Amino acid sequence: MESIRKLYKIGNGPSSSHTMGPAVAAEKFLIDTPDADSYVVKLYGSLAATGKGHLTDEIILRILGKEKTKIHFKPEVVYRYHPNGVKFEAYKNGERIKKWLVFSVGGGSLKELDESRDEFSDETYPHKSMEEIIEFCEENNLNFYQYVLKYEGKEILDYLKEILSSMFNAINRGLFTNGILPGGLNVERKSASVYSEYLKYPSHETLVYAAALGVAEENASGGVIVTAPTCGASGVVPAVLYAEKIRNHVTETKILESLCVAGLIGNLVKTNGSISGAEVGCQGEVGVACAMAAAALTYIKGGTLREIEYSAEIGLEHHLGMTCDPIDGLVQIPCIERNAMAAMQAYNCANYAILTKGVHRITFDDAIEVMEQTGRDLREEYRETSRGGLAYSRKRN
């Protein structure tokens, strides 16, 4: 597995796969073709189907230059390798000088056609499954945080301080911003009003809702957020950690340690399954975010290795089959609300895992395998094409 630095990324929303990934690809192609005088970009599959709503075309035009770039949307062309394909072509004096087909596979990460999905250029961790990690930790008397530290080094904590600061900044912006989100659905921000209710009648649940909504609304408006594991699910983990800090006075040190644990959970899914809504539905985004938050919470509460693993498994298991069906291709309905629901669900997962002392039969590795297979079995209309589910209901009405 690669470093959790590649999982937690700071960037602009609304989508890690549709905005951040294509932006990284466009920047790389621009560097590789400094002499080009024009570009043609072809968006395929899900990138084409919901590219407008996710600002895919806008970010590419901004990087390559609107005056010399043409973008073609081809939703009917879907590669089996991954539905988020994009081809860049560079021209000089009317002749093509370079082309590049690349795939945005989730969380802002890129892969080329037929490149192995479970191997990375920087293999930070030698183990690829939760069971392998638990066995190693038990043999060496390590907890999950210590395991991450062993392979990432203490420098990871400095990186995570920046990540945590960005997460909480997004919450604080969201808590004090009113107005209508862009895109045409006329969705009104709710975080500020929910936070006002919290200030009048303080409760843990209300604060979690307000914080999760705050980040998700910032993401929907193109604000700066942290992929955890994606932009669309970026409100879940921050909300839980923010509430733990404010309500339960958990120290920054403990929160940073829990971010390591959450990152390990997200990394396992990224390695052995998928965190791309276009590939496996929202179970790979909000479902994984819930698993990450549940694991972080269980660690904060003093849970054992097996209790942490179980809480993550519960979080993922009970989101199995969740479709990705954003209305009008915007990361707003049902995405924002799902962040708030999943953040509170993480508490149920953590509490139940600890109450049952981590005794269970379905492992987290099992849940990842089932999630990936379920996602691939979903009709493509339910995998971020905005042609099925709630998105279809909106069009029909």
Side-chain angles (χ1 to χ4, degrees):
M1 294 193 299
E2 62 183 352
S3 169
I4 60 175
R5 294 169 182 263
K6 300 295 182 67
L7 183 78
Y8 295 125
K9 298 173 182 174
I10 300 172
N12 291 84
S15 171
S16 48
S17 60
H18 286 58
T19 313
M20 291 176 65
V24 172
E27 288 167 353
K28 183 180 185 304
F29 196 69
L30 182 63
I31 292 172
D32 291 344
T33 57
D35 298 327
D37 51 36
S38 66
Y39 296 98
V40 173
V41 180
K42 298 173 183 176
L43 302 176
Y44 301 126
S46 179
L47 278 186
T50 59
K52 287 287 185 181
H54 289 71
L55 309 182
T56 308
D57 54 337
E58 287 191 22
I59 193 68
I60 291 175
L61 290 172
R62 190 185 309 165
I63 293 169
L64 296 182
K66 182 180 292 188
E67 70 287 347
K68 61 179 183 179
T69 305
K70 291 184 179 179
I71 297 181
H72 301 282
F73 293 82
K74 296 182 174 295
E76 73 282 0
V77 179
V78 182
Y79 284 83
R80 293 188 64 182
Y81 178 75
H82 195 282
N84 285 340
V86 54
K87 180 184 286 185
F88 293 90
E89 297 178 340
Y91 291 83
K92 186 174 179 61
N93 298 325
E95 293 190 7
R96 190 172 66 190
I97 58 175
K98 188 177 180 65
K99 65 178 180 178
W100 184 37
L101 175 64
V102 67
F103 297 84
S104 182
V105 297
S109 297
L110 302 173
K111 290 280 187 179
E112 296 191 23
L113 186 63
D114 297 328
E115 183 180 352
S116 175
R117 294 289 301 279
D118 60 358
E119 292 181 5
F120 305 91
S121 57
D122 62 333
E123 293 286 354
T124 301
Y125 300 91
H127 310 102
K128 288 189 176 182
S129 72
M130 174 60 86
E131 200 56 37
E132 288 177 343
I133 292 171
I134 289 178
E135 288 178 4
F136 180 83
C137 286
E138 289 175 339
E139 290 171 0
N140 293 275
N141 195 30
L142 300 173
N143 61 33
F144 286 135
Y145 160 66
Q146 292 166 334
Y147 173 81
V148 170
L149 210 63
K150 175 178 175 61
Y151 292 106
E152 297 272 7
K154 291 185 178 180
E155 304 80 35
I156 191 63
L157 296 177
D158 291 329
Y159 179 75
L160 290 179
K161 284 181 181 179
E162 183 182 359
I163 290 298
L164 186 63
S165 176
S166 186
M167 285 180 168
F168 285 2
N169 284 341
I171 290 174
N172 289 325
R173 290 195 308 272
L175 293 179
F176 297 99
T177 304
N178 291 294
I180 303 297
L181 294 172
L185 287 180
N186 295 318
V187 173
E188 188 172 357
R189 285 176 176 255
K190 296 178 180 178
S191 178
S193 62
V194 174
Y195 187 59
S196 293
E197 287 298 308
Y198 167 76
L199 294 177
K200 288 188 289 186
Y201 310 104
S203 77
H204 195 96
E205 183 178 35
T206 306
L207 182 59
V208 171
Y209 286 151
L213 291 172
V215 179
E217 289 166 358
E218 280 296 293
N219 175 67
S221 63
V224 176
I225 49 80
V226 175
T227 57
T230 64
C231 288
S234 58
V236 181
V237 172
V240 165
L241 299 183
Y242 186 81
E244 287 303 294
K245 176 188 176 184
I246 300 300
R247 298 286 300 180
N248 293 330
H249 310 294
V250 176
T251 65
E252 182 182 86
T253 296
K254 198 68 174 181
I255 289 176
L256 292 174
E257 292 177 5
S258 74
L259 263 180
C260 289
V261 177
L264 186 62
I265 296 300
N267 240 2
L268 282 166
V269 182
K270 182 179 176 181
T271 301
N272 299 313
S274 175
I275 56 172
S276 169
E279 190 170 36
V280 295
C282 199
Q283 57 177 354
E285 297 198 45
V286 166
V288 176
C290 183
M292 292 170 64
L297 269 174
T298 310
Y299 175 81
I300 288 172
K301 292 172 178 286
T304 65
L305 293 172
R306 292 292 175 181
E307 288 168 352
I308 293 170
E309 184 257 351
Y310 188 21
S311 68
E313 188 278 330
I314 296 171
L316 187 55
E317 176 188 338
H318 294 286
H319 283 89
L320 289 176
M322 179 176 277
T323 57
C324 184
D325 43 4
I327 293 178
D328 288 357
L330 299 169
V331 191
Q332 296 180 18
I333 303 174
C335 320
I336 295 172
E337 188 177 276
R338 283 181 178 173
N339 276 258
M341 296 302 105
M344 275 310 303
Q345 180 74 337
Y347 281 91
N348 293 328
C349 299
N351 291 337
Y352 187 83
I354 292 172
L355 280 170
T356 56
K357 305 197 183 307
V359 177
H360 61 295
R361 296 194 179 186
I362 304 298
T363 69
F364 186 60
D365 291 327
D366 292 335
I368 294 173
E369 183 179 351
V370 172
M371 185 210 72
E372 182 180 32
Q373 186 57 55
T374 301
R376 295 187 185 282
D377 288 343
L378 286 173
R379 286 168 45 188
E380 68 174 33
E381 287 87 350
Y382 299 102
R383 289 187 275 119
E384 206 169 8
T385 59
S386 208
R387 296 202 303 267
L390 295 172
Y392 174 74
S393 176
R394 161 77 174 187
K395 290 182 173 68
R396 186 179 55 194
N397 295 327

